[in-house]
Amino acid sequence: MSNWEKALLKICEIYYNSESRTDWILVGSVGSVLQGCDITPGDIDIYVQDKESVGQFAKLLLPYTLHEKQGDNHDENWLSSVEEPTFTQTFPSGFTWTKGRWKMEGVDVEVVNISNSAGIPDSQTGDGIWEGGKFIWELYKNVSFGPYTIRTVPLEIQLESNYRRQRQERIDAIIKAMQTYGYNKELLKKALSSKHLLQFYAASGVESPIS
């Protein structure tokens, strides 16, 4: 079992053995792998629906929280501490998130709520569905992981996010998994922007129904 699998298993054990019913959804590379993608996850990314839920997760992961705060920089090395279990950050664009971060089995685990998307396109009618947006909470896919069932962002939506970020290796891996295991054609049409839908048809060899 890989370190990320050990870490995710521990998260599930802690959550399902607690009284917490905070809604959470797995995003990013681990969510891709659990849906059949041949990639190596670098970390575990979890989204929750509000800032309070980040704090609730911080309580659950207290055994992995630093006893002492290490520095004031909220960069990729920042980790949750007893003094500062979470922090909220606003960027010049207005994009705002609240997050906590822990090391579990040597793997970074982030729990994030995005309270201001700063206008990132998130639409089912041509602009594409964003992996961090509002629609993931109704379009999630359940996957099995050991004895647990976990909500993940479907590959169809993940594909749009990776097209936007121009991450070709991820795009290729997702398309290959979709070709191997199948995909939801109607969801794909909603999830991808018009431009990226055409790119998918070209890359996958599927004849485009768009005239």
Side-chain angles (χ1 to χ4, degrees), residues 2-197:
S2 66
N3 285 352
W4 72 261
E5 289 174 304
K6 293 176 183 178
L8 183 58
L9 185 63
K10 180 58 65 176
I11 292 168
C12 290
E13 289 174 350
I14 292 171
Y15 174 79
Y16 287 107
N17 286 324
S18 74
E19 296 181 356
S20 175
R21 288 300 173 261
T22 298
D23 286 336
W24 59 282
I25 189 166
L26 196 61
V27 301
S29 57
V30 171
S32 301
V33 170
L34 293 181
Q35 295 177 76
C37 288
D38 184 16
I39 58 177
T40 301
D43 54 16
I44 297 175
D45 296 305
I46 292 171
Y47 281 178
V48 293
Q49 287 187 288
D50 50 54
K51 294 197 299 185
E52 291 74 22
S53 294
V54 182
Q56 291 172 21
F57 245 99
K59 292 178 181 178
L60 293 178
L61 298 182
L62 186 60
Y64 298 90
T65 299
L66 297 179
H67 293 294
E68 295 183 3
K69 183 179 177 181
Q70 297 182 355
D72 295 317
N73 294 325
H74 296 138
D75 57 18
E76 66 273 8
N77 297 314
W78 177 87
L79 292 171
S80 295
S81 63
V82 173
E83 179 182 345
E84 188 182 37
T86 69
F87 76 90
T88 298
Q89 187 175 21
T90 299
F91 296 86
S93 65
F95 183 91
T96 303
W97 60 11
T98 299
K99 66 165 58 178
R101 182 190 287 131
W102 298 264
K103 282 282 188 183
M104 300 179 67
E105 302 293 340
V107 176
D108 282 341
V109 176
E110 286 197 353
V111 177
V112 176
N113 166 256
I114 298 170
S115 55
N116 185 347
S117 66
I120 294 175
D122 187 28
S123 166
Q124 299 188 55
T125 56
D127 290 330
I129 298 175
W130 178 39
E131 187 177 19
K134 61 185 178 182
F135 296 111
I136 62 173
W137 297 101
E138 62 187 70
L139 297 173
Y140 66 85
K141 180 177 181 178
N142 283 323
V143 297
S144 296
F145 178 69
Y148 302 104
T149 298
I150 304 175
R151 291 179 177 180
T152 64
V153 175
L155 290 181
E156 293 86 348
I157 296 176
Q158 290 192 26
L159 183 58
E160 170 64 18
S161 291
N162 282 285
Y163 269 127
R164 292 181 186 185
R165 298 172 69 182
Q166 299 181 349
R167 303 181 72 176
Q168 192 60 49
E169 289 187 6
R170 292 283 180 90
I171 292 169
D172 293 342
I174 290 173
I175 290 177
K176 183 176 181 181
M178 291 167 67
Q179 290 174 322
T180 302
Y181 303 108
Y183 60 94
N184 185 324
K185 294 180 180 179
E186 291 305 312
L187 176 56
L188 186 75
K189 292 176 184 178
K190 294 178 181 179
L192 295 188
S193 67
S194 300
K195 177 179 70 174
H196 294 147
L197 186 60

